[in-house]
Amino acid sequence: MSPDAPTTEAPLFEARDLVKRFRSRGTVVQAVNGVSLRIPRGRTVGLVGESGSGKSTVARLALRLLDPTSGQVTFDGVDLLRASRGQMQALRRRMQIVFQDPLGSLNPRMRVLDAVGEPLAVHRIAKGSARVDRVVELLERVGLRSSDLYRFSHQFSGGQAQRIGIARALATDPDLIVCDEAVSALDVSVQAQMLNLLKRLQSELGLSYLFIAHDLNVVRYMADEVCVMYLGQIVERGDGDTLFADPRHPYTGMLVSALPEFAPERADGRARRAVPRGEPASPSSPPPGCRFHPRCPKAMQRCREEAPALHGVADGRAAACHLFDAGREASAR
Ligand code: SF4
């Protein structure tokens, strides 16, 4: 669903015009610059882009683990930036995160019972035997067994550890889970199991996901709507299948053309098609005009001087590119 499409239901989560700048070694880093997102209930919005595009900063702004320099974030109608401490505590139960490194994100000295049960203790949801029962229920929901209860995280494989991370995120019965590169560290076959688990949990529990990854295929599989980020900005958004079949923004086109093709003669079954051209600029000194212009094969003089706005193009999509300014779309294709 496009955020620009009319909808009768208020979204569960909405971010408007988020900006995040911070100082690093005497320079100002523009990590996020004018990002807006809307996540309907029970749906998945995917954020994709190269490393350094600002995806993970958006994740932290969404959960208010970071405060934005400017912009607005609402969750179920509550303005998170104006929420009281008590309100924020109650809302944190409903917004959880699954991290990239499943083993690194778990305390190796904690048993599974304590790792998954910790949010139940912190939020005073259950204690004693009720907590144990709830942890067993969570483990079984994610495909682990009650006999895993007293094992330590280092005794599990990466995929099993990520199941523990997901069980922990589910403990407080959240509405929104931010998956920040949640499957990126896993083997391809384990990735597929984890994506299917997340999909099943979504349909069973009505979860909404903000799904962040650098792998387009993964985002395409998971997301109802895909947002492509480049140097802190969303440059294209739209339905995943349409966007991948017919990318409008030159950066999306470059990412799609670099997707691995199925190549059964190779040991891993995948072959690379094209290497993305050039490297992104530093977020501390983004190029003037369109931030993508130094890498864009279609750059014009105007692109070096004027930043394009994100606006609607065909098929309910939006793109930030001068090629799609009014009246130019036909000539751009
Ligand atoms: Fe390329 Fe210009 Fe479009 Fe930027 S605005 S993506 S430089 S054509």
Side-chain angles (χ1 to χ4, degrees):
M1 184 188 296
S2 160
D4 300 322
T7 171
T8 50
E9 195 185 0
L12 176 68
F13 172 88
E14 188 163 18
R16 283 184 184 271
D17 216 7
L18 283 183
V19 173
K20 181 64 185 176
R21 293 188 207 105
F22 46 82
R23 288 204 158 268
S24 172
R25 294 183 196 149
T27 58
V28 177
V29 176
Q30 298 181 27
V32 172
N33 193 7
V35 164
S36 297
L37 286 175
R38 186 189 285 177
I39 309 177
R41 289 162 210 273
R43 312 279 288 193
T44 301
V45 170
L47 267 188
V48 69
E50 291 164 296
S51 161
S53 59
K55 310 182 296 290
S56 291
T57 306
V58 170
R60 278 148 187 77
L61 294 172
L63 296 175
R64 220 190 138 187
L65 300 175
L66 278 177
D67 281 334
T69 307
S70 62
Q72 195 183 25
V73 185
T74 56
F75 180 85
D76 206 7
V78 179
D79 182 342
L80 294 192
L81 303 178
R82 291 169 189 256
S84 65
R85 219 170 137 185
Q87 268 180 316
M88 235 9 256
Q89 237 169 2
L91 288 172
R92 284 206 188 286
R93 281 177 60 164
R94 300 176 58 196
M95 303 183 287
Q96 295 293 325
I97 186 163
V98 177
F99 294 102
Q100 172 173 5
D101 178 8
L103 288 167
S105 63
L106 295 169
N107 182 338
R109 278 178 288 194
M110 269 190 176
R111 295 182 191 274
V112 170
L113 170 61
D114 300 316
V116 176
E118 190 176 47
L120 298 171
V122 168
H123 292 284
R124 297 184 191 169
I125 295 169
K127 57 183 181 180
S129 62
R131 190 182 301 165
V132 177
D133 291 347
R134 174 71 173 142
V135 173
V136 169
E137 182 196 327
L138 289 162
L139 293 183
E140 289 173 350
R141 197 177 265 290
V142 300
L144 296 171
R145 294 167 303 187
S146 56
S147 56
D148 294 323
L149 213 47
Y150 297 101
R151 296 172 69 200
F152 293 96
S153 61
H154 67 82
Q155 296 176 283
F156 293 88
S157 68
Q160 287 172 323
Q162 196 54 300
R163 287 177 196 268
I164 298 169
I166 294 169
R168 185 181 155 95
L170 291 176
T172 58
D173 210 5
D175 299 296
L176 173 69
I177 297 184
V178 174
C179 300
D180 187 7
E181 300 277 10
V183 300
S184 305
L186 305 173
D187 291 343
V188 174
S189 61
V190 182
Q191 267 190 7
Q193 292 169 17
M194 222 49 61
L195 297 178
N196 289 331
L197 170 65
L198 288 168
K199 282 210 168 206
R200 174 168 64 73
L201 294 171
Q202 181 170 47
S203 77
E204 288 173 359
L205 303 171
L207 296 165
S208 303
Y209 292 134
L210 176 58
F211 193 89
I212 295 170
H214 63 273
D215 184 330
L216 270 76
N217 277 326
V218 165
V219 174
R220 178 186 191 172
Y221 182 69
M222 286 301 292
D224 300 295
E225 182 190 70
V226 175
C227 299
V228 180
M229 279 194 77
Y230 186 77
L231 267 185
Q233 298 176 323
I234 291 177
V235 295
E236 183 162 3
R237 73 186 344 149
D239 159 72
D241 285 340
T242 323
L243 186 141
F244 286 84
D246 181 21
R248 296 297 171 92
H249 194 281
Y251 178 60
T252 315
M254 190 171 87
L255 291 181
V256 169
S257 66
L259 277 177
E261 271 182 340
F262 181 57
E265 71 281 5
R266 281 177 56 106
D268 63 359
R270 295 171 129 200
R272 282 220 158 266
R273 288 168 66 194
V275 177
R277 162 187 159 134
E279 293 288 330
S282 162
S284 59
S285 56
C290 172
R291 292 182 170 202
F292 186 58
H293 87 250
R295 301 173 75 188
C296 182
K298 298 184 177 176
M300 310 167 275
Q301 186 53 37
R302 182 181 174 198
C303 305
R304 297 178 185 93
E305 295 160 358
E306 192 183 327
L310 185 69
H311 59 75
V313 295
D315 310 322
R317 283 189 283 165
C321 173
H322 292 311
L323 293 173
F324 300 104
D325 290 353
R328 297 204 59 153
E329 181 163 9
S331 61
R333 307 197 61 211

